[in-house]
Amino acid sequence: MRRRPQSTSAATTKPEVSEEPIAPSWVAQRPQRSPFVWLTLFLAIAYGSWGVFHYQFESLPAPLTAEQAGKRGFSEFSALEHVKALTQLGPHSVGSDALHQALQYVLAEAEKIKKTAHWEVDVEVDSFTAKSGANRMAGGLFKGRTLVYSDLNHIIIRILPKYAPEAVDNAILVSSHIDTVFSTGGAGDCSSCVAVMLELARGISQWAHGFKHAVIFLFNTGEEEGLNGAHSFITQHPWSKSIRLAIDLEAMGIGGKSGIFQAGPDPWPIETFAAVAKYPSGQIIAQDIFSSGAIKSATDFQVYREVAGLSGLDFAYADNTAVYHTKNDKLELLKLGSLQHLGENMLAFLLKIAASSHLTKVNTMVEEDNKGQSTAVYFDILGTYMVVYRQRFANMLHKSVIAQSLLIWTTSLLMGGYPAAISLALSCLSVILMWIFALSFSVLAAFIIPLISSSPVPYVANPWLVVGLFAAPALLGALTGQYLGYLVLHTHLSNVYAKKKQISPVIQADLIKSEAERWLYKSGSLQWLILLILGTYYKIGSSYLALFWLLPPAFAYGFLEATLTPARFPKPLKLATLLIGLAVPILISAGGFIRLAGTIIGTVVRLDRNPGGTPDWLGNVIVATYVAAVMCLTLVYLLSYIHLPGAKKSIVLSTCLLFGLSLAVVSLGIVPPFTKDTSRAVNVVHVVDMTRSFDEKQDPRSYVSLFSSTPGKLTKEVEQINEGFRCGRDKVVDLVTFSVKYSCWTFDDTDSGWSESDVPIMHVDSDTRGGERITQVLIDTKGSTRWTLAINADEIEDFTFKDAGSSEELVLVGDMSSVDGWHIMQFSGGKNAPTKFGLTLFWMKNSTRLDHKVEGKREEGTPLLKLRTDMDIVTPKVDRVLSKLPPWCSLFGKSTSPTTFSFLSNLPFNF
C-alpha cells in the first residue's frame, strides 16, 4: 500500500504536546493534610511518650514477703519494717537523741544478721565513733569550704567467707546515711536506703561463703552536714584500706525506681550491673547534669571518688523531688515496689562482683587512661535493658556518623548547586526562628503567670499544668517561627521554579510546597548533627541522644523519600516517613525528657538559695526554657509536615484553647499551687542577733524570722499565722552561709525561751605584728555543736584551727579557697563534740588592715569574722508559729540552713 506523502507544513510544525507543561504523575492528588489526622497524630505521640515514661520509670516490680523471698532473696515487706521503725523516731539529725535511737536500732538489726548468717560466713559488726576531722572538697557544692566534724557514730557490717582469708584484703563498700535534716523523718532520704542495706546484708550473709571478696555495709551519720560520715570512715577506719569499689545509695525524692546517676570512672562496675540487673535503670544525662553543677547537691560518692580514689556507682530515688527534705518525705508516699526494685538489682550485682576476680583490677585501667576514653556511656531502654559502651567507642561511632553525614550533605549541595545551598541556609533560618519564637512565647508565659496567680509557681503540686502553661505557647511559637522560615523558603523556591517554563503555574505551586517541607524536614537532621558534633568534641556522654534523633529520621527519609537525581520532582512527605523516623527516638528519650521535666519542677520548691534574692519569675523561666528546648528539638520533624494546607489552623486553635484554659485554671485558683503532700519550703528561725558594726556596740536583737526558698511572697501564710509578722525586703538576715533578702519578722514575745549564757564568744587572745601579722582568736560556741564561721578572705591569707581542750589540730595551714570573698567553715558533731576552739589567722602581706586605723569609711560594715551557732531549741514563740503554719507549708532543712534557733555574732576589724 502506498503511503500518503506528508505536507511540508505538517512536517515543519512542532507537535502540540511539546508546548504543554510537564505534569508529575502525582499531581492529581494535591498535597493536603487532614486536621483530624494531625490532631490525632499529636495526641498519639503525646500518649506514646507518656506510655514510654510510665513503663520506664513508673512500672515497679511486685513487692515480696519474707516467705516469698526466702532466706537468700530480698523482701520489700521486711525492708519496710525498717523504714517504719526509723521514721517513727521523727527527724534524727546529728547530735539528737533520735539519731542515737536510730543507731541503736540499726546495731540491733546488725547483730540479728550476725546470729542468723550461714555457718561458713563471718559477719563482723562494728559500732565506730569517729574522732574530730576536717574535709576540704576540691569541687562541687562544698568548694571553698572547710567541713569540720567530731563525735560521729557509724554502724559497719563486714561480711566475708570464713574459709577464704584473702577476702579480707579486697572489699566492696555499700554505703548510705542514717541521719536526716531537722525538718523530716526521712522515709526516702535515706531510711529507705538503710532499710534496703539491712535486707541486703541479711541476704548476703546467706551467700557469702562462695565469695572471693568481703562486702562492707556502712551506715554512716553526718552526710546531711557535709558528707562528713563518709569522710570520717575513709580517713579513720582501718577497714577502709581494703575497699576496691564503692556503691552509694541516696535519695533526692521518695521512692520510684532507684537509678544510677553517677558511675565510674572505671567502666567495669556499670558494665557488670547492666549485665546482671533484673530491672536496670540509669541515664548518663543525669550524670552530665549533676556533674555540671546545675543541681546544687552532693553525695557521699564524691568523697569516695575524690578522697579515696575509688570507682563505683551512685544510685538515687528521684520520684516526687518536691518533697525532698520536707515533712512530706514520709512513709505514706513511698510507692510499693520501690525497695524491691533496688533490692533485687543490688543483690544480683553484689553476688556477681563479690565472686569476680576482676575486682582487684578496678581503677588500674582508669589510671593508665587519663583522657577519659574508658569511661562509660550508659542508658536504659524502658527499664528492662541497659546499653553500655565506652567513650572510645562512642567517639569512633559519632565521628563516623558525622563524617558520613557531612559527605552526604556535601554531595547533595554539589548536585543541587547554588539553589540548594540557598535552600539549606533558609531552612536553617527556619530552625533559628523556631527556637526564637518558641522560647519567646514560652518565656512570655513565664512572666505572665506571677501577675495572675496567687503563687509564681502554681504548677508544683500539679505538674500537668506545665503542658498548658509552657508547652502550648512553645508549640505555638515553634510553629510560628518555622512557618515564617517556610514563607521565606517558599519565596526562594518560587523564584527557582519560575525559571522552569515547561511546568504550569498550578503544578509549580504544589511542587514548591512539597520541596519546602522536605527542606524543613532535613533541617531537623542538620540541627541534631550540629549537636552531635558539639557533644563529640566536648566528650559529653549524653550526646548519644543526638545520634538517635539524627539517624532514624535520616534513614526513614533516605529509604522512603530521597531521590537519586535532582531532576525528579519532589513529592509530599509520606506519613510513614515520620512514624518510622520518630519511633526509635521516642522510645529511647521520651521517658528521660519527661522525668527530667518532673525533676526540674520539683526543685523549684527550693530554687531560691538566698530567699528573696532571685526574681519570682526565674523558676518559671527555667521550666519554660527547658520545655521550649525539648519542643524545638523533638518536634522539628513533625512541624515540617504542618505547613501544607489543612492542618495549621486547627492545631493553632487547639493550642491557644489549651493555653487559655490553663491560664484560667491558674488565675481562678481552681487547683492549689501547694498541698499538704507537696508543700512550700519555709524556715522559721528564732534569731538572736549580736552582730556589731565597725565602731559600734549594740544590744542583741531577738526576733523570729520567717522566710522561704520557694519563689513568692509570704502574705497569705503570715495572715493565717497571725503572730505579728511584718514582711519586706528590708528584713535582711545574714545567716553566714547565705543571706535572706526577703523575710517576715516579729519581735513580739521573743525574749523568752533562750538564755544569754548560750551566747557564743569570740575573743582575741593575741595580735602580733612583726614581719607578718598573726591574730589568735578563742571561740566558745557554748552549747552549740552545729555552727558556721566565715573568714574574710580579702584580708586573711590562711588559718589554722584547733580544739582548745585537747590542743588537737583540726585544720592545718593549706590552700584556703574562698567564695564571694569569704571562706566558710562548717562544724557539726555529736553531744560529746568540743565547743571551745583556737583560731589562728595569717593576714595578707598587702592587707589594708595591718593597723587598726582604716582610711575613710570604706567597707566599715564588713567584719573580720562572722559566726552563726545553731541550737536545738524551740522557743515558745517559734512553737506557736509552727503550730499555726499552714498545711501547705513545711520546714526545709539543708547543710547550710539554720535550725529553729540561731545566735548571730561577728568580730569587727577594730577588735
Side-chain angles (χ1 to χ4, degrees):
M1 181 181 293
R2 292 179 61 188
R3 295 183 61 186
R4 184 178 178 180
Q6 295 180 343
S7 64
T8 305
S9 61
T12 58
T13 303
K14 293 182 180 180
E16 293 184 7
V17 67
S18 64
E19 295 179 351
E20 294 180 0
I22 299 173
S25 59
W26 53 268
V27 296
Q29 297 179 349
R30 299 188 63 186
Q32 288 282 337
R33 297 278 157 76
S34 166
F36 175 77
V37 170
W38 286 97
L39 284 175
T40 303
L41 183 62
F42 261 105
L43 293 175
I45 290 176
Y47 183 78
S49 299
W50 182 260
V52 169
F53 165 74
H54 179 80
Y55 194 88
Q56 185 171 5
F57 293 102
E58 301 289 323
S59 179
L60 295 167
L64 300 181
T65 64
E67 292 74 19
Q68 292 171 322
K71 291 179 65 176
R72 291 184 160 193
F74 185 93
S75 166
E76 173 166 319
F77 286 109
S78 296
L80 282 173
E81 292 300 317
H82 301 314
V83 180
K84 183 178 180 181
L86 292 171
T87 53
Q88 283 179 342
L89 299 174
H92 32 286
S93 54
V94 171
S96 66
D97 292 332
L99 181 59
H100 176 72
Q101 296 175 36
L103 284 163
Q104 293 304 307
Y105 174 83
V106 173
L107 178 61
E109 293 300 315
E111 294 293 347
K112 290 180 184 178
I113 293 170
K114 182 177 181 178
K115 291 178 181 179
T116 58
H118 190 278
W119 66 276
E120 292 182 283
V121 174
D122 270 339
V123 177
E124 302 172 77
V125 179
D126 185 18
S127 179
F128 176 67
T129 300
K131 62 182 182 179
S132 300
N135 175 22
R136 283 181 176 173
M137 303 304 297
L141 182 66
F142 299 106
K143 182 180 180 181
R145 299 185 182 184
T146 299
L147 308 171
V148 186
Y149 53 83
S150 182
D151 191 35
L152 297 180
N153 298 287
H154 316 313
I155 305 299
I156 311 166
I157 304 174
R158 182 164 68 175
I159 303 174
L160 66 167
K162 186 174 293 184
Y163 301 111
E166 68 278 4
V168 74
D169 297 326
N170 298 289
I172 301 149
L173 176 68
V174 183
S175 171
S176 191
H177 62 96
I178 304 175
D179 63 306
T180 70
V181 292
F182 74 93
S183 55
T184 179
D189 186 20
C190 212
S191 294
S192 60
C193 312
V194 170
V196 167
M197 286 172 57
L198 284 171
E199 181 63 6
L200 279 173
R202 183 201 59 77
I204 291 294
S205 69
Q206 305 300 321
W207 284 96
H209 56 285
F211 287 179
K212 296 180 180 179
H213 315 291
V215 179
I216 296 174
F217 292 89
L218 169 64
F219 304 85
N220 71 65
T221 64
E223 190 273 348
E224 296 291 8
E225 299 297 337
L227 318 181
N228 295 329
H231 187 271
S232 62
F233 170 77
I234 286 295
T235 56
Q236 298 182 23
H237 200 281
W239 291 354
S240 66
K241 304 298 184 292
S242 65
I243 295 172
R244 302 292 174 263
L245 184 140
I247 303 164
D248 184 50
L249 306 184
E250 258 297 350
M252 61 176 296
I254 182 166
K257 289 188 175 181
S258 180
I260 297 171
F261 72 104
Q262 291 190 95
D266 192 301
W268 180 73
I270 185 69
E271 290 171 345
T272 306
F273 176 83
V276 301
K278 191 174 181 180
Y279 316 103
S281 181
Q283 300 285 335
I284 196 171
I285 188 173
Q287 177 173 311
D288 288 340
I289 294 172
F290 193 83
S291 60
S292 71
I295 297 178
K296 302 297 182 182
S297 187
T299 71
D300 285 337
F301 192 67
Q302 182 180 359
V303 173
Y304 301 137
R305 288 186 66 166
E306 285 189 18
V307 179
L310 297 171
S311 288
L313 303 176
D314 202 1
F315 293 80
Y317 288 112
D319 262 21
N320 201 357
T321 56
V323 309
Y324 178 71
H325 283 191
T326 69
K327 66 179 182 180
N328 294 315
D329 187 1
K330 54 188 178 183
L331 182 60
E332 292 80 359
L333 297 182
L334 184 60
K335 295 178 182 177
L336 284 178
S338 301
L339 307 189
Q340 194 71 39
H341 174 267
L342 176 59
E344 290 196 35
N345 282 344
M346 281 295 301
L347 183 60
F349 179 54
L350 290 174
L351 293 179
K352 180 68 175 180
I353 60 175
S356 172
S357 58
H358 187 88
L359 182 66
T360 56
K361 303 175 184 177
V362 173
N363 299 322
T364 303
M365 183 187 307
V366 177
E367 291 174 3
E368 296 174 353
D369 176 24
N370 56 10
K371 294 184 180 180
Q373 294 296 310
S374 293
T375 56
V377 175
Y378 59 92
F379 56 92
D380 71 89
I381 302 175
L382 298 180
T384 58
Y385 182 78
M386 178 169 280
V387 177
V388 181
Y389 53 91
R390 302 195 179 190
Q391 186 65 50
R392 180 182 289 104
F393 175 77
N395 291 340
M396 293 171 56
L397 177 62
H398 294 179
K399 289 176 181 178
S400 173
V401 171
I402 291 169
Q404 293 180 58
S405 298
L406 292 177
L407 179 62
I408 292 172
W409 273 107
T410 302
T411 304
S412 176
L413 292 177
L414 290 175
M415 291 175 64
Y418 179 75
I422 298 299
S423 298
L424 174 62
L426 294 179
S427 63
C428 291
L429 175 64
S430 73
V431 173
I432 295 172
L433 291 174
M434 178 183 67
W435 277 86
I436 291 173
F437 277 83
L439 288 169
S440 299
F441 283 24
S442 189
V443 170
L444 179 61
F447 283 105
I448 292 174
I449 290 170
L451 303 177
I452 64 173
S453 173
S454 59
S455 170
V457 286
Y459 46 81
V460 171
N462 301 279
W464 53 267
L465 278 172
V466 168
V467 176
L469 293 175
F470 301 126
L475 174 59
L476 186 62
L479 183 57
T480 302
Q482 196 184 65
Y483 183 65
L484 291 177
Y486 168 82
L487 293 178
V488 177
L489 179 60
H490 187 281
T491 301
H492 162 68
L493 294 174
S494 297
N495 294 332
V496 173
Y497 275 85
K499 299 176 183 178
K500 300 179 180 181
K501 303 295 185 180
Q502 72 274 25
I503 304 177
S504 70
V506 175
I507 298 172
Q508 276 189 15
D510 294 337
L511 292 175
I512 291 168
K513 292 174 183 177
S514 297
E515 185 161 350
E517 77 167 0
R518 283 169 171 263
W519 276 109
L520 294 180
Y521 184 95
K522 289 187 287 186
S523 69
S525 296
L526 188 60
Q527 170 185 250
W528 283 105
L529 176 60
I530 293 172
L531 291 176
L532 181 61
I533 292 171
L534 293 174
T536 303
Y537 179 79
Y538 290 105
K539 294 183 174 60
I540 300 173
S542 50
S543 57
Y544 78 89
L545 291 170
L547 193 69
F548 280 104
W549 278 93
L550 170 63
L551 288 183
F555 172 80
Y557 183 88
F559 185 70
L560 298 174
E561 306 288 354
T563 58
L564 298 177
T565 170
R568 294 182 61 181
F569 292 114
K571 299 178 182 180
L573 291 174
K574 300 178 180 67
L575 181 60
T577 303
L578 183 67
L579 296 177
I580 294 173
L582 294 186
V584 173
I586 289 175
L587 182 70
I588 295 296
S589 62
F593 285 145
I594 296 173
R595 176 59 165 246
L596 183 55
T599 301
I600 295 172
I601 292 168
T603 56
V604 168
V605 169
R606 51 191 181 275
L607 174 71
D608 204 345
R609 302 186 69 81
N610 293 285
T614 57
D616 288 345
W617 44 260
L618 181 60
N620 292 340
V621 169
I622 293 173
V623 176
T625 301
Y626 172 77
V627 171
V630 171
M631 299 289 281
C632 290
L633 290 170
T634 59
L635 295 185
V636 62
Y637 299 111
L638 175 61
L639 293 180
S640 65
Y641 278 72
I642 296 175
H643 303 295
L644 294 184
K648 289 192 298 293
K649 185 176 180 180
S650 58
I651 291 176
V652 170
L653 289 176
S654 300
T655 304
C656 292
L657 179 62
L658 178 59
F659 178 57
L661 288 175
S662 300
L663 287 180
V665 167
V666 167
S667 61
L668 297 176
I670 296 175
V671 294
F674 307 102
T675 64
K676 64 181 182 66
D677 289 333
T678 306
S679 303
R680 179 177 189 177
V682 300
N683 287 87
V684 179
V685 186
H686 191 140
V687 177
V688 177
D689 191 346
M690 309 288 296
T691 59
R692 51 198 176 103
S693 300
F694 175 75
D695 198 18
E696 163 186 291
K697 292 184 179 180
Q698 61 185 32
D699 295 330
R701 291 190 302 166
S702 178
Y703 58 91
V704 173
S705 177
L706 170 67
F707 55 89
S708 175
S709 55
T710 307
K713 300 291 190 295
L714 291 162
T715 307
K716 187 176 180 180
E717 288 79 4
V718 164
E719 288 177 356
Q720 179 158 333
I721 294 172
N722 192 26
E723 283 290 336
F725 281 100
R726 297 291 182 269
C727 303
R729 295 195 174 274
D730 58 328
K731 308 294 189 295
V732 177
V733 189
D734 184 353
L735 293 172
V736 183
T737 49
F738 63 92
S739 294
V740 180
K741 307 296 185 182
Y742 167 86
S743 64
C744 304
W745 289 5
T746 178
F747 292 89
D748 301 342
D749 305 324
T750 59
D751 293 329
S752 61
W754 59 278
S755 172
E756 290 190 6
S757 62
D758 290 325
V759 174
I761 297 173
M762 285 191 290
H763 171 68
V764 176
D765 187 53
S766 67
D767 184 30
T768 60
R769 277 170 283 178
E772 60 177 333
R773 185 176 180 183
I774 301 175
T775 303
Q776 293 185 339
V777 182
L778 298 180
I779 301 174
D780 186 353
T781 60
K782 298 299 180 73
S784 175
T785 57
R786 184 182 191 267
W787 51 263
T788 303
L789 177 71
I791 302 172
N792 193 319
D794 292 333
E795 305 294 336
I796 302 302
E797 183 176 9
D798 215 328
F799 69 96
T800 62
F801 188 75
K802 68 178 182 179
D803 178 351
S806 64
S807 297
E808 178 187 1
E809 292 284 350
L810 302 179
V811 181
L812 303 176
V813 172
D815 297 326
M816 188 185 84
S817 57
S818 64
V819 176
D820 298 328
W822 296 93
H823 180 84
I824 304 296
M825 185 190 305
Q826 292 179 221
F827 181 93
S828 66
K831 292 186 175 182
N832 297 321
T835 58
K836 294 182 179 181
F837 307 93
L839 175 67
T840 302
L841 303 173
F842 301 94
W843 293 69
M844 296 260 188
K845 293 182 179 179
N846 59 350
S847 172
T848 59
R849 309 280 186 162
L850 289 180
D851 52 43
H852 293 308
K853 296 180 180 180
V854 181
E855 297 181 2
K857 294 187 177 182
R858 183 175 63 88
E859 299 181 334
E860 286 187 355
T862 303
L864 176 63
L865 302 174
K866 298 187 294 184
L867 176 66
R868 187 193 82 216
T869 56
D870 300 328
M871 306 288 291
D872 188 16
I873 295 175
V874 178
T875 61
K877 181 67 173 183
V878 170
D879 189 47
R880 288 201 303 274
V881 173
L882 293 178
S883 66
K884 296 180 180 181
L885 204 63
W888 67 81
C889 291
S890 169
L891 292 181
F892 173 70
K894 56 183 180 180
S895 63
T896 57
S897 64
T899 55
T900 53
F901 187 94
S902 294
F903 287 106
L904 299 179
S905 57
N906 66 359
L907 183 66
F909 281 101
N910 64 332
F911 50 77

